[in-house]
Amino acid sequence: MTTTLAILKPDTISAGHAGKILAHLEAAGFRLRACRFTRLNGLQAEAFYAVHRDRPFFRSLVSFMTSGPVLPMVLEADDAAARLREAIGATDPEEAAHGTVRALYAKSTERNAIHASDSEENAAREIAFFFSEADLLGSE
Ligand code: CMP
């Protein structure tokens, strides 16, 4: 079993889709190991998405991700990072496979409902961004 990070984004929380998306992921075999309800400030959103700093959409992404609360969570499964990417679908909902979270709930490439770590290595970094070792202890 491995773990990965998902973030239910501000569009998901404001649309009232958080429970449905979590149920979808649990039904797909992911187990919830930790979660928080929080609101990112500008510095936090910039740091989390630092890899995209030079992309044209960066400012807009930071503005969107700080526009309301988010729900970061640690999910566990066999090969969790790759399997979660598959379950959520492509970044652009128009390209997301039928039945994936983004095909069902995302509004646009930016307002795409959910973030998921893109590799096991980034999952470790992104989990540590939101959760401490103590948050995960005892939830096995
Ligand atoms: P996420 O999986 O969280 O990773 C980076 C985010 O940047 C992505 O989802 C989208 O919210 C946003 N993003 C990626 N590409 C674009 C784009 N071409 N235009 C606008 N936003 C984008």
Side-chain angles (χ1 to χ4, degrees):
M1 286 288 177
T2 60
T3 50
T4 192
L5 184 89
I7 306 175
L8 303 188
K9 296 186 178 185
D11 57 325
T12 287
I13 307 300
S14 65
H17 291 153
K20 282 177 279 193
I21 293 177
L22 181 53
H24 181 112
L25 295 176
E26 287 181 326
F30 295 92
R31 205 166 67 78
L32 190 58
R33 289 284 309 277
C35 79
R36 290 172 57 190
F37 192 67
T38 187
R39 184 164 180 164
L40 297 174
N41 64 35
L43 285 177
Q44 291 169 327
E46 284 172 11
F48 184 80
Y49 280 119
V51 66
H52 297 304
R53 194 183 289 119
D54 297 326
R55 308 288 283 276
F57 57 80
F58 183 67
R59 293 298 353 148
S60 177
L61 174 62
V62 168
S63 165
F64 164 54
M65 289 301 290
T66 57
S67 67
V70 293
L71 214 133
M73 61 181 71
V74 178
L75 295 171
E76 181 180 77
D78 277 329
D79 202 10
R83 285 198 41 223
L84 184 60
R85 299 286 288 186
E86 234 179 86
I88 72 173
T91 305
D92 178 352
E94 306 256 312
E95 289 167 19
H98 183 75
T100 59
V101 172
R102 284 170 170 161
L104 289 165
Y105 299 106
K107 290 277 174 290
S108 68
T109 301
E110 179 176 84
R111 294 175 180 264
N112 62 357
I114 185 168
H115 167 83
S117 308
D118 65 4
S119 64
E120 237 177 87
E121 189 188 357
N122 280 336
R125 181 186 73 80
E126 294 186 356
I127 288 169
F129 188 91
F130 287 103
F131 299 97
S132 72
E133 198 182 329
D135 291 319
L136 294 161
L137 279 176
S139 68
E140 301 88 356

